[in-house]
Amino acid sequence: MNVKIPKTTVSRLSIYLRALNRLEEEVETVSSRTLSEIVGFTAAQIRKDLAYFGQFGVPGRGYYITSLKEGIMRILGINKDWSVALVGAGHLGRALMAYKGFKQQHFIISAVFDKDPEKVGKNYLNHKILSMDELPRLVRERKIKIGVVTVPSEEAQNAVNALVNSGVKAILSFAPATVNVPPQVKLNRVDLSIELEGLSYFLTQGKK
Amino acid sequence: MNVKIPKTTVSRLSIYLRALNRLEEEVETVSSRTLSEIVGFTAAQIRKDLAYFGQFGVPGRGYYITSLKEGIMRILGINKDWSVALVGAGHLGRALMAYKGFKQQHFIISAVFDKDPEKVGKNYLNHKILSMDELPRLVRERKIKIGVVTVPSEEAQNAVNALVNSGVKAILSFAPATVNVPPQVKLNRVDLSIELEGLSYFLTQGKK
DNA sequence: TGGTGTGAATGCCTTCACAGCG
DNA sequence: CGCTGTGAAGGCATTCACACCA
Protein backbone atom coordinates (compact mmCIF):
# COMPACT_ATOMS: atom_id res chain seq x y z
CA MET A 1 0.00 0.00 0.00
CA ASN A 2 2.95 2.29 -0.51
CA VAL A 3 2.21 3.47 -4.04
CA LYS A 4 1.31 7.06 -4.69
CA ILE A 5 -2.37 7.68 -5.25
CA PRO A 6 -3.26 10.26 -7.90
CA LYS A 7 -5.25 13.09 -6.43
CA THR A 8 -7.57 12.88 -9.38
CA THR A 9 -8.46 9.43 -8.15
CA VAL A 10 -9.49 10.76 -4.77
CA SER A 11 -11.74 13.36 -6.32
CA ARG A 12 -13.52 10.69 -8.32
CA LEU A 13 -14.20 8.51 -5.29
CA SER A 14 -16.82 10.97 -4.06
CA ILE A 15 -18.58 10.75 -7.37
CA TYR A 16 -18.64 6.97 -7.31
CA LEU A 17 -20.08 7.17 -3.84
CA ARG A 18 -23.00 9.30 -4.99
CA ALA A 19 -23.81 6.87 -7.76
CA LEU A 20 -23.54 3.89 -5.42
CA ASN A 21 -25.96 5.45 -2.96
CA ARG A 22 -28.59 5.53 -5.66
CA LEU A 23 -27.76 2.11 -7.08
CA GLU A 24 -27.85 0.46 -3.68
CA GLU A 25 -31.62 0.73 -3.57
CA GLU A 26 -32.04 -1.19 -6.79
CA VAL A 27 -29.32 -3.80 -7.21
CA GLU A 28 -26.72 -5.67 -5.22
CA THR A 29 -23.69 -5.57 -7.49
CA VAL A 30 -22.43 -3.30 -10.23
CA SER A 31 -19.74 -3.75 -12.87
CA SER A 32 -17.16 -1.15 -13.75
CA ARG A 33 -18.81 -0.98 -17.15
CA THR A 34 -22.27 -0.01 -15.96
CA LEU A 35 -20.86 2.33 -13.33
CA SER A 36 -18.88 4.02 -16.07
CA GLU A 37 -22.08 4.82 -17.96
CA ILE A 38 -23.48 6.56 -14.91
CA VAL A 39 -20.52 8.61 -13.82
CA GLY A 40 -18.98 9.25 -17.23
CA PHE A 41 -15.44 7.98 -16.68
CA THR A 42 -14.06 4.94 -18.48
CA ALA A 43 -14.45 1.49 -16.97
CA ALA A 44 -10.69 0.97 -16.94
CA GLN A 45 -10.28 4.11 -14.93
CA ILE A 46 -12.80 3.05 -12.35
CA ARG A 47 -11.10 -0.33 -11.90
CA LYS A 48 -7.73 1.28 -11.56
CA ASP A 49 -9.01 3.85 -9.09
CA LEU A 50 -10.51 1.21 -6.85
CA ALA A 51 -7.55 -1.13 -7.16
CA TYR A 52 -5.31 1.45 -5.52
CA PHE A 53 -7.06 0.72 -2.27
CA GLY A 54 -7.30 -3.06 -2.38
CA GLN A 55 -9.37 -5.86 -3.80
CA PHE A 56 -12.94 -4.65 -3.89
CA GLY A 57 -14.33 -6.51 -6.85
CA VAL A 58 -15.27 -10.06 -7.67
CA PRO A 59 -14.27 -11.31 -11.13
CA GLY A 60 -17.29 -12.28 -13.18
CA ARG A 61 -19.70 -10.40 -10.90
CA GLY A 62 -18.47 -6.89 -10.32
CA TYR A 63 -18.51 -4.93 -7.08
CA TYR A 64 -20.83 -5.55 -4.13
CA ILE A 65 -22.32 -2.14 -3.70
CA THR A 66 -22.77 -2.04 0.04
CA SER A 67 -19.26 -3.12 0.87
CA LEU A 68 -17.73 -0.95 -1.83
CA LYS A 69 -19.63 2.01 -0.45
CA GLU A 70 -18.31 1.35 3.02
CA GLY A 71 -14.82 0.96 1.65
CA ILE A 72 -14.91 4.29 -0.12
CA MET A 73 -16.35 6.04 2.91
CA ARG A 74 -13.56 4.64 5.05
CA ILE A 75 -10.94 5.77 2.54
CA LEU A 76 -12.38 9.26 2.35
CA GLY A 77 -12.63 9.40 6.11
CA ILE A 78 -16.36 10.06 6.12
CA ASN A 79 -17.32 6.92 8.01
CA LYS A 80 -17.57 9.14 11.06
CA ASP A 81 -18.97 12.63 11.58
CA TRP A 82 -16.84 15.72 11.03
CA SER A 83 -17.50 18.92 12.90
CA VAL A 84 -17.15 22.02 10.78
CA ALA A 85 -16.87 25.67 11.76
CA LEU A 86 -18.53 28.15 9.44
CA VAL A 87 -17.31 31.74 9.35
CA GLY A 88 -19.63 34.23 7.68
CA ALA A 89 -23.40 34.20 8.06
CA GLY A 90 -24.23 36.08 4.88
CA HIS A 91 -26.27 34.71 2.03
CA LEU A 92 -23.79 32.04 1.08
CA GLY A 93 -23.22 30.99 4.66
CA ARG A 94 -26.94 30.59 5.16
CA ALA A 95 -27.21 28.61 1.96
CA LEU A 96 -24.67 26.18 3.36
CA MET A 97 -26.57 25.92 6.64
CA ALA A 98 -29.64 24.95 4.66
CA TYR A 99 -27.78 22.53 2.40
CA LYS A 100 -28.91 19.01 3.17
CA GLY A 101 -26.03 17.33 1.36
CA PHE A 102 -23.62 18.14 4.16
CA LYS A 103 -25.33 16.17 6.86
CA GLN A 104 -25.77 13.25 4.50
CA GLN A 105 -22.03 13.14 3.95
CA HIS A 106 -21.35 13.34 7.67
CA PHE A 107 -20.34 16.97 7.81
CA ILE A 108 -22.01 18.76 10.68
CA ILE A 109 -21.91 22.53 10.94
CA SER A 110 -21.04 22.70 14.58
CA ALA A 111 -20.66 26.44 15.06
CA VAL A 112 -21.31 29.57 12.99
CA PHE A 113 -19.41 32.81 13.48
CA ASP A 114 -19.82 36.33 12.16
CA LYS A 115 -18.05 39.61 12.73
CA ASP A 116 -21.19 41.72 12.43
CA PRO A 117 -22.61 42.58 15.89
CA GLU A 118 -26.03 42.88 14.27
CA LYS A 119 -26.00 39.18 13.46
CA VAL A 120 -24.35 37.84 16.60
CA GLY A 121 -26.91 36.26 18.89
CA LYS A 122 -29.52 35.83 16.18
CA ASN A 123 -30.70 32.46 14.96
CA TYR A 124 -30.50 31.50 11.31
CA LEU A 125 -31.80 28.10 10.26
CA ASN A 126 -31.35 26.66 13.73
CA HIS A 127 -27.82 27.94 14.06
CA LYS A 128 -27.03 30.57 16.65
CA ILE A 129 -24.57 33.09 15.27
CA LEU A 130 -21.56 33.49 17.55
CA SER A 131 -19.04 36.26 17.93
CA MET A 132 -15.58 35.85 16.48
CA ASP A 133 -14.23 36.16 20.03
CA GLU A 134 -15.65 32.78 20.83
CA LEU A 135 -14.08 31.06 17.85
CA PRO A 136 -10.77 29.99 19.43
CA ARG A 137 -12.44 28.49 22.47
CA LEU A 138 -15.11 26.60 20.57
CA VAL A 139 -12.79 25.27 17.90
CA ARG A 140 -10.53 23.91 20.61
CA GLU A 141 -13.29 22.56 22.82
CA ARG A 142 -15.05 20.78 20.00
CA LYS A 143 -11.81 19.70 18.36
CA ILE A 144 -12.92 21.16 15.04
CA LYS A 145 -10.50 20.36 12.23
CA ILE A 146 -12.30 21.89 9.24
CA GLY A 147 -13.28 25.50 8.66
CA VAL A 148 -15.50 26.93 5.93
CA VAL A 149 -15.09 30.57 4.99
CA THR A 150 -17.98 32.50 3.44
CA VAL A 151 -17.01 36.08 4.15
CA PRO A 152 -16.33 38.92 1.68
CA SER A 153 -12.90 38.97 0.04
CA GLU A 154 -11.55 41.72 2.27
CA GLU A 155 -12.26 39.65 5.36
CA ALA A 156 -11.07 36.30 4.01
CA GLN A 157 -7.52 36.47 5.32
CA ASN A 158 -8.70 37.49 8.79
CA ALA A 159 -11.19 34.66 8.94
CA VAL A 160 -8.57 32.17 7.77
CA ASN A 161 -6.07 33.43 10.32
CA ALA A 162 -8.56 33.08 13.16
CA LEU A 163 -9.28 29.51 12.13
CA VAL A 164 -5.65 28.52 11.67
CA ASN A 165 -4.57 30.06 14.96
CA SER A 166 -7.24 28.11 16.75
CA GLY A 167 -5.96 24.82 15.40
CA VAL A 168 -8.04 24.11 12.31
CA LYS A 169 -6.19 21.84 9.88
CA ALA A 170 -8.15 22.28 6.64
CA ILE A 171 -10.11 25.15 5.15
CA LEU A 172 -12.61 25.53 2.38
CA SER A 173 -12.83 29.11 1.20
CA PHE A 174 -15.49 30.64 -1.02
CA ALA A 175 -13.98 34.10 -1.10
CA PRO A 176 -12.69 35.19 -4.51
CA ALA A 177 -9.34 36.17 -3.01
CA THR A 178 -5.88 34.73 -2.64
CA VAL A 179 -5.32 33.81 0.98
CA ASN A 180 -2.24 32.41 2.65
CA VAL A 181 -2.07 29.51 5.05
CA PRO A 182 0.88 27.79 6.73
CA PRO A 183 2.09 24.79 4.75
CA GLN A 184 0.71 22.16 7.08
CA VAL A 185 -2.82 23.48 6.63
CA LYS A 186 -4.74 22.35 3.58
CA LEU A 187 -6.63 25.07 1.73
CA ASN A 188 -9.22 24.41 -0.93
CA ARG A 189 -10.96 27.19 -2.78
CA VAL A 190 -14.25 27.30 -4.61
CA ASP A 191 -14.60 30.33 -6.76
CA LEU A 192 -17.98 30.77 -8.33
CA SER A 193 -16.92 33.13 -11.06
CA ILE A 194 -13.99 30.96 -12.05
CA GLU A 195 -16.47 28.21 -12.79
CA LEU A 196 -18.37 30.54 -15.08
CA GLU A 197 -15.20 31.76 -16.73
CA GLY A 198 -14.44 28.20 -17.76
CA LEU A 199 -17.80 28.11 -19.48
CA SER A 200 -17.35 31.39 -21.28
CA TYR A 201 -13.96 30.21 -22.53
CA PHE A 202 -15.64 27.13 -23.92
CA LEU A 203 -18.29 29.20 -25.63
CA THR A 204 -15.93 31.68 -27.22
CA GLN A 205 -13.09 29.39 -28.21
CA GLY A 206 -15.36 26.63 -29.34
CA LYS A 207 -15.02 22.93 -28.68
CA LYS A 208 -11.65 21.36 -29.30
CA MET B 1 -2.08 29.03 -32.82
CA ASN B 2 -3.00 25.44 -33.52
CA VAL B 3 -1.46 23.76 -30.49
CA LYS B 4 -3.66 22.18 -27.89
CA ILE B 5 -4.12 24.21 -24.76
CA PRO B 6 -4.22 22.27 -21.49
CA LYS B 7 -7.48 22.81 -19.68
CA THR B 8 -5.51 23.24 -16.49
CA THR B 9 -3.99 26.31 -18.12
CA VAL B 10 -7.41 27.82 -18.74
CA SER B 11 -8.45 27.32 -15.15
CA ARG B 12 -5.34 29.12 -13.96
CA LEU B 13 -5.95 32.15 -16.18
CA SER B 14 -8.84 33.24 -13.98
CA ILE B 15 -6.59 33.13 -10.98
CA TYR B 16 -3.94 35.25 -12.63
CA LEU B 17 -6.64 37.72 -13.52
CA ARG B 18 -7.70 38.13 -9.90
CA ALA B 19 -4.14 38.78 -8.84
CA LEU B 20 -3.59 41.26 -11.67
CA ASN B 21 -6.67 43.22 -10.69
CA ARG B 22 -5.16 43.83 -7.29
CA LEU B 23 -1.65 44.47 -8.58
CA GLU B 24 -2.81 46.95 -11.18
CA GLU B 25 -3.49 49.54 -8.50
CA GLU B 26 0.06 49.44 -7.22
CA VAL B 27 2.49 48.73 -10.02
CA GLU B 28 2.77 48.78 -13.77
CA THR B 29 4.61 45.54 -14.52
CA VAL B 30 5.01 42.19 -12.85
CA SER B 31 7.46 39.34 -13.41
CA SER B 32 6.48 35.71 -13.56
CA ARG B 33 8.52 35.25 -10.41
CA THR B 34 6.62 37.71 -8.25
CA LEU B 35 3.30 36.64 -9.70
CA SER B 36 4.18 33.08 -8.78
CA GLU B 37 4.56 34.08 -5.14
CA ILE B 38 1.06 35.50 -5.12
CA VAL B 39 -0.82 32.75 -6.89
CA GLY B 40 1.24 29.80 -5.75
CA PHE B 41 2.16 28.21 -9.09
CA THR B 42 5.73 28.08 -10.37
CA ALA B 43 7.11 30.90 -12.46
CA ALA B 44 7.85 28.54 -15.33
CA GLN B 45 4.27 27.44 -15.39
CA ILE B 46 2.97 30.96 -15.54
CA ARG B 47 5.27 31.79 -18.45
CA LYS B 48 4.24 28.67 -20.29
CA ASP B 49 0.56 29.29 -19.68
CA LEU B 50 0.75 32.81 -21.06
CA ALA B 51 2.95 31.82 -23.97
CA TYR B 52 0.21 29.56 -25.32
CA PHE B 53 -1.69 32.67 -26.27
CA GLY B 54 1.06 34.83 -27.71
CA GLN B 55 3.82 37.18 -26.69
CA PHE B 56 2.62 39.02 -23.64
CA GLY B 57 5.83 39.70 -21.80
CA VAL B 58 8.84 41.89 -22.25
CA PRO B 59 12.24 40.31 -21.51
CA GLY B 60 14.04 42.06 -18.69
CA ARG B 61 10.85 43.78 -17.50
CA GLY B 62 8.06 41.28 -17.12
CA TYR B 63 4.42 41.71 -18.08
CA TYR B 64 2.59 45.00 -18.43
CA ILE B 65 -0.34 44.41 -16.14
CA THR B 66 -3.03 46.36 -17.91
CA SER B 67 -2.44 44.82 -21.29
CA LEU B 68 -1.96 41.34 -19.86
CA LYS B 69 -5.25 41.72 -18.03
CA GLU B 70 -7.02 42.68 -21.20
CA GLY B 71 -5.40 39.79 -23.02
CA ILE B 72 -6.60 37.26 -20.49
CA MET B 73 -10.09 38.69 -20.45
CA ARG B 74 -10.24 38.44 -24.21
CA ILE B 75 -9.04 34.83 -24.11
CA LEU B 76 -11.57 33.87 -21.47
CA GLY B 77 -14.30 35.66 -23.38
CA ILE B 78 -15.17 37.97 -20.51
CA ASN B 79 -14.35 41.19 -22.32
CA LYS B 80 -18.07 41.54 -22.90
CA ASP B 81 -21.09 40.87 -20.68
CA TRP B 82 -22.65 37.44 -20.47
CA SER B 83 -26.32 37.02 -19.68
CA VAL B 84 -27.01 34.13 -17.34
CA ALA B 85 -30.28 32.37 -16.49
CA LEU B 86 -30.61 31.18 -12.92
CA VAL B 87 -32.97 28.31 -12.13
CA GLY B 88 -33.86 27.87 -8.46
CA ALA B 89 -34.50 30.74 -6.08
CA GLY B 90 -33.73 28.86 -2.86
CA HIS B 91 -31.00 29.78 -0.43
CA LEU B 92 -28.17 29.05 -2.81
CA GLY B 93 -29.84 30.82 -5.71
CA ARG B 94 -30.30 33.90 -3.57
CA ALA B 95 -26.69 33.72 -2.46
CA LEU B 96 -25.66 33.88 -6.11
CA MET B 97 -27.96 36.85 -6.75
CA ALA B 98 -26.23 38.66 -3.91
CA TYR B 99 -22.75 37.62 -4.99
CA LYS B 100 -20.90 40.69 -6.15
CA GLY B 101 -18.12 38.76 -7.88
CA PHE B 102 -20.38 37.88 -10.79
CA LYS B 103 -21.02 41.37 -12.00
CA GLN B 104 -17.35 42.22 -11.65
CA GLN B 105 -16.48 39.38 -14.00
CA HIS B 106 -19.12 40.43 -16.51
CA PHE B 107 -21.71 37.81 -15.68
CA ILE B 108 -25.16 39.31 -15.34
CA ILE B 109 -28.01 37.31 -13.90
CA SER B 110 -30.55 38.24 -16.50
CA ALA B 111 -33.51 36.15 -15.38
CA VAL B 112 -34.39 33.98 -12.37
CA PHE B 113 -36.84 31.09 -12.53
CA ASP B 114 -38.47 28.87 -9.95
CA LYS B 115 -41.01 26.10 -10.04
CA ASP B 116 -42.65 27.05 -6.75
CA PRO B 117 -45.81 29.14 -7.36
CA GLU B 118 -45.29 30.70 -3.94
CA LYS B 119 -42.08 32.31 -5.12
CA VAL B 120 -43.11 33.28 -8.64
CA GLY B 121 -43.87 36.98 -8.87
CA LYS B 122 -41.96 37.85 -5.72
CA ASN B 123 -38.84 39.96 -5.68
CA TYR B 124 -35.60 38.72 -4.18
CA LEU B 125 -32.58 41.00 -4.16
CA ASN B 126 -33.92 43.04 -7.09
CA HIS B 127 -34.66 39.98 -9.17
CA LYS B 128 -38.24 39.16 -10.02
CA ILE B 129 -38.83 35.41 -9.84
CA LEU B 130 -40.34 34.08 -13.04
CA SER B 131 -42.33 30.96 -13.78
CA MET B 132 -40.66 28.05 -15.56
CA ASP B 133 -43.18 28.53 -18.36
CA GLU B 134 -41.48 31.73 -19.31
CA LEU B 135 -38.02 30.21 -19.47
CA PRO B 136 -38.00 29.17 -23.16
CA ARG B 137 -39.23 32.52 -24.39
CA LEU B 138 -36.84 34.59 -22.30
CA VAL B 139 -33.78 32.47 -22.97
CA ARG B 140 -34.44 32.81 -26.68
CA GLU B 141 -35.30 36.50 -26.62
CA ARG B 142 -32.28 37.43 -24.57
CA LYS B 143 -30.00 34.99 -26.37
CA ILE B 144 -28.88 33.49 -23.07
CA LYS B 145 -26.10 30.94 -23.52
CA ILE B 146 -25.32 30.05 -19.90
CA GLY B 147 -27.62 28.53 -17.30
CA VAL B 148 -26.98 28.10 -13.59
CA VAL B 149 -28.89 25.40 -11.73
CA THR B 150 -29.50 25.73 -7.98
CA VAL B 151 -32.45 23.41 -7.48
CA PRO B 152 -32.67 20.27 -5.29
CA SER B 153 -31.19 17.07 -6.73
CA GLU B 154 -34.56 15.63 -7.71
CA GLU B 155 -35.30 18.62 -9.88
CA ALA B 156 -31.86 19.02 -11.42
CA GLN B 157 -32.47 16.99 -14.56
CA ASN B 158 -35.75 18.83 -15.25
CA ALA B 159 -34.11 22.18 -14.86
CA VAL B 160 -31.24 21.17 -17.11
CA ASN B 161 -33.62 19.86 -19.75
CA ALA B 162 -35.60 23.07 -19.78
CA LEU B 163 -32.44 25.09 -20.28
CA VAL B 164 -31.01 22.83 -22.97
CA ASN B 165 -34.27 22.70 -24.90
CA SER B 166 -34.42 26.47 -24.92
CA GLY B 167 -30.99 26.75 -26.49
CA VAL B 168 -28.58 27.20 -23.63
CA LYS B 169 -25.06 26.02 -24.53
CA ALA B 170 -23.36 25.72 -21.15
CA ILE B 171 -24.58 24.89 -17.68
CA LEU B 172 -23.21 25.23 -14.19
CA SER B 173 -24.97 22.89 -11.78
CA PHE B 174 -24.82 22.95 -8.00
CA ALA B 175 -27.07 19.95 -7.49
CA PRO B 176 -25.31 16.91 -5.98
CA ALA B 177 -26.70 14.67 -8.69
CA THR B 178 -25.54 13.16 -11.96
CA VAL B 179 -27.34 14.90 -14.79
CA ASN B 180 -27.17 14.22 -18.51
CA VAL B 181 -26.74 16.77 -21.26
CA PRO B 182 -26.35 16.36 -25.02
CA PRO B 183 -22.70 16.25 -26.08
CA GLN B 184 -22.60 19.71 -27.62
CA VAL B 185 -23.61 21.28 -24.33
CA LYS B 186 -20.91 21.89 -21.74
CA LEU B 187 -21.78 20.93 -18.19
CA ASN B 188 -19.73 21.94 -15.16
CA ARG B 189 -20.62 20.84 -11.70
CA VAL B 190 -19.79 22.27 -8.32
CA ASP B 191 -20.47 19.88 -5.52
CA LEU B 192 -20.06 21.37 -2.10
CA SER B 193 -19.72 18.12 -0.21
CA ILE B 194 -17.17 16.77 -2.65
CA GLU B 195 -14.99 19.69 -1.74
CA LEU B 196 -15.22 18.79 1.91
CA GLU B 197 -14.59 15.13 1.21
CA GLY B 198 -11.27 16.07 -0.34
CA LEU B 199 -10.39 17.76 2.92
CA SER B 200 -11.41 14.85 5.10
CA TYR B 201 -9.33 12.50 2.95
CA PHE B 202 -6.37 14.76 3.51
CA LEU B 203 -6.95 14.78 7.25
CA THR B 204 -7.35 11.04 7.64
CA GLN B 205 -4.71 9.82 5.25
CA GLY B 206 -2.22 12.42 6.29
CA LYS B 207 -0.01 14.46 4.04
CA LYS B 208 1.96 12.63 1.36
C1' DT C 1 -18.42 -16.43 -19.97
C1' DG C 2 -18.14 -11.98 -17.80
C1' DG C 3 -15.56 -9.04 -15.33
C1' DT C 4 -11.56 -7.86 -12.22
C1' DG C 5 -6.64 -6.41 -11.41
C1' DT C 6 -2.51 -4.88 -13.56
C1' DG C 7 1.85 -4.29 -16.31
C1' DA C 8 2.95 -1.80 -20.44
C1' DA C 9 2.11 1.88 -23.60
C1' DT C 10 0.47 6.20 -24.46
C1' DG C 11 -0.74 10.90 -23.74
C1' DC C 12 -0.85 15.06 -21.13
C1' DC C 13 1.12 18.45 -18.06
C1' DT C 14 4.88 20.40 -15.44
C1' DT C 15 9.56 21.41 -14.59
C1' DC C 16 14.16 22.33 -16.19
C1' DA C 17 17.52 24.88 -18.36
C1' DC C 18 19.01 28.04 -21.41
C1' DA C 19 19.18 30.95 -25.83
C1' DG C 20 18.03 35.38 -26.86
C1' DC C 21 16.07 39.85 -26.23
C1' DG C 22 15.33 44.59 -24.03
C1' DC D 1 21.78 41.92 -16.29
C1' DG D 2 16.94 40.38 -15.68
C1' DC D 3 13.35 38.07 -17.45
C1' DT D 4 10.77 36.01 -21.26
C1' DG D 5 9.70 32.20 -24.47
C1' DT D 6 10.54 27.46 -25.50
C1' DG D 7 12.56 22.88 -26.74
C1' DA D 8 13.70 18.87 -24.11
C1' DA D 9 13.21 15.95 -20.15
C1' DG D 10 10.74 14.19 -16.65
C1' DG D 11 6.66 12.94 -13.97
C1' DC D 12 1.65 11.90 -13.55
C1' DA D 13 -2.52 10.10 -15.10
C1' DT D 14 -5.28 7.54 -18.46
C1' DT D 15 -5.99 3.94 -21.70
C1' DC D 16 -4.99 -0.57 -23.59
C1' DA D 17 -4.89 -5.32 -23.54
C1' DC D 18 -4.79 -9.46 -21.44
C1' DA D 19 -3.79 -13.05 -17.70
C1' DC D 20 -6.47 -14.86 -14.37
C1' DC D 21 -10.39 -15.84 -11.44
C1' DA D 22 -15.53 -16.98 -9.98
Side-chain angles (χ1 to χ4, degrees):
Chain A
M1 214 277 207
N2 229 348
V3 284
K4 281 210 41 175
I5 290 153
K7 34 191 156 188
T8 45
T9 290
V10 176
S11 70
R12 282 188 296 265
L13 289 182
S14 315
I15 298 178
Y16 302 151
L17 191 56
R18 282 264 148 50
L20 293 171
N21 276 327
R22 283 216 333 273
L23 282 168
E24 194 180 25
E25 292 163 13
E26 296 160 23
V27 287
E28 204 186 348
T29 66
V30 64
S31 70
S32 57
R33 164 83 84 98
T34 56
L35 189 52
S36 86
E37 280 157 19
I38 298 173
V39 298
F41 310 117
T42 67
Q45 178 144 76
I46 293 173
R47 291 201 300 279
K48 180 139 280 201
D49 282 346
L50 298 177
Y52 280 116
F53 302 99
Q55 315 274 101
F56 281 114
V58 182
R61 302 201 138 261
Y63 298 88
Y64 281 87
I65 295 179
T66 309
S67 73
L68 177 57
K69 232 188 75 176
E70 280 162 11
I72 294 180
M73 288 177 68
R74 209 175 44 246
I75 294 163
L76 289 176
I78 56 173
N79 50 340
K80 62 169 196 291
D81 284 355
W82 285 96
S83 287
V84 173
L86 178 65
V87 183
H91 280 99
L92 186 54
R94 276 174 269 167
L96 295 185
M97 296 180 218
Y99 183 61
K100 291 183 292 275
F102 275 172
K103 211 170 292 169
Q104 272 166 35
Q105 303 296 325
H106 296 91
F107 295 102
I108 314 284
I109 296 181
S110 169
V112 182
F113 304 92
D114 202 291
K115 197 188 154 192
D116 181 0
E118 289 286 308
K119 287 180 185 159
V120 171
K122 289 215 173 104
N123 260 295
Y124 289 142
L125 300 138
N126 291 324
H127 292 273
K128 185 168 192 179
I129 311 305
L130 305 169
S131 151
M132 292 297 286
D133 301 336
E134 309 210 54
L135 193 149
R137 187 175 57 81
L138 276 165
V139 164
R140 265 184 264 269
E141 274 180 18
R142 301 188 185 172
K143 300 188 170 52
I144 294 175
K145 297 279 182 299
I146 300 178
V148 176
V149 173
T150 54
V151 300
S153 300
E154 317 84 72
E155 283 300 319
Q157 187 67 60
N158 289 338
V160 166
N161 291 347
L163 287 164
V164 168
N165 290 335
S166 309
V168 157
K169 292 280 183 292
I171 291 178
L172 179 60
S173 167
F174 287 86
T178 328
V179 289
N180 293 310
V181 294
Q184 69 275 21
V185 173
K186 169 96 165 175
L187 172 72
N188 277 6
R189 291 185 51 216
V190 176
D191 189 319
L192 303 173
S193 8
I194 283 182
E195 299 293 331
L196 282 182
E197 283 163 21
L199 293 180
S200 69
Y201 175 79
F202 168 82
L203 290 174
T204 43
Q205 303 298 314
K207 53 254 31 169
K208 97 174 16 155
Chain B
M1 213 274 211
N2 230 346
V3 285
K4 282 210 41 176
I5 290 152
K7 35 191 155 188
T8 45
T9 290
V10 176
S11 69
R12 280 188 297 265
L13 290 182
S14 315
I15 299 177
Y16 302 152
L17 191 55
R18 280 270 146 50
L20 294 172
N21 276 326
R22 282 216 333 272
L23 283 169
E24 193 180 26
E25 292 162 16
E26 297 160 24
V27 287
E28 203 186 349
T29 66
V30 65
S31 70
S32 58
R33 164 83 84 99
T34 55
L35 188 52
S36 85
E37 280 156 18
I38 298 172
V39 298
F41 310 117
T42 67
Q45 178 143 75
I46 293 173
R47 290 201 301 278
K48 181 138 279 201
D49 282 345
L50 298 178
Y52 280 117
F53 302 99
Q55 316 273 100
F56 281 114
V58 182
R61 302 200 137 261
Y63 299 88
Y64 281 87
I65 294 179
T66 309
S67 75
L68 177 57
K69 231 188 76 175
E70 279 162 11
I72 294 181
M73 289 178 67
R74 209 172 48 245
I75 294 164
L76 289 177
I78 55 174
N79 49 341
K80 61 170 195 292
D81 284 356
W82 286 95
S83 287
V84 173
L86 178 65
V87 183
H91 280 99
L92 185 54
R94 275 173 271 167
L96 295 186
M97 295 181 220
Y99 184 61
K100 291 183 291 274
F102 275 172
K103 211 170 291 169
Q104 273 167 33
Q105 302 297 325
H106 296 89
F107 295 102
I108 314 283
I109 296 181
S110 169
V112 181
F113 304 93
D114 202 292
K115 196 189 155 192
D116 181 0
E118 290 286 309
K119 288 179 185 159
V120 171
K122 289 213 174 103
N123 260 294
Y124 290 142
L125 300 137
N126 290 325
H127 291 274
K128 185 169 192 179
I129 311 304
L130 305 168
S131 149
M132 291 298 286
D133 301 337
E134 308 208 59
L135 192 148
R137 184 175 59 81
L138 276 166
V139 165
R140 264 184 266 270
E141 275 180 17
R142 300 187 186 172
K143 299 191 171 51
I144 294 174
K145 297 280 181 297
I146 298 178
V148 176
V149 174
T150 54
V151 300
S153 299
E154 317 84 73
E155 282 300 318
Q157 187 66 60
N158 290 338
V160 166
N161 291 348
L163 287 164
V164 169
N165 291 335
S166 309
V168 158
K169 293 281 182 290
I171 291 178
L172 178 60
S173 168
F174 287 86
T178 329
V179 289
N180 294 308
V181 294
Q184 70 274 19
V185 173
K186 170 94 164 175
L187 173 71
N188 277 6
R189 292 183 51 213
V190 176
D191 189 318
L192 304 174
S193 4
I194 284 182
E195 299 293 332
L196 283 183
E197 284 164 22
L199 294 180
S200 69
Y201 174 80
F202 168 82
L203 290 175
T204 43
Q205 303 298 313
K207 52 253 33 164
K208 97 173 17 155

